[in-house]
Amino acid sequence: MDAKNPEAPNAATVAQFTSTAQYWRVARQFVITDGVKYLAESAACFWLIDAAISHLLEIGTCDWFVLVRVEVSGSSAVMIYEDGNGSEHARQEIGYTDLPLSSVRLYAVWDSERWVIMLPSEY
């Protein structure tokens, strides 16, 4: 846990999510799993979900799978959107973040009706 925020998530806590009981709608064609909801709430990083949604809208549904990687360095970060095979769709520099994790990976999967954004352990 983060010393500044004892409720902040850590990698082990996030990895405990292995399925979801329900989907949480965050936009018209976007839902998140229980694990992503926990991450967004406990780390106060709904901005991460918003950024992912905006890029997924641009990427479109030709690729049904998108890996969203967030790499934190100090108080800044970079978000990288890949096809899962190393080809990059997009990249976004985040000038400031207080995200308590050094990295985050999210999977976005198009299920023919909507994007489901989940933790890798929930895939």
Side-chain angles (χ1 to χ4, degrees), residues 24-32 49-50 52-54 57 113-115 117:
W24 303 88
R25 184 164 307 283
V26 291
R28 189 171 64 84
Q29 289 187 317
F30 295 88
V31 295
I32 59 174
I49 308 306
D50 291 341
I53 288 171
S54 69
L57 286 169
E113 295 180 13
R114 64 192 173 193
W115 283 103
I117 303 171

Side-chain angles (χ1 to χ4, degrees), residues 75-96:
S75 61
S76 63
V78 62
M79 291 183 74
I80 304 161
Y81 304 82
E82 299 177 350
D83 66 358
N85 294 317
S87 294
E88 193 172 300
H89 289 297
R91 176 180 290 254
Q92 180 179 1
E93 300 291 329
I94 307 296
Y96 173 79

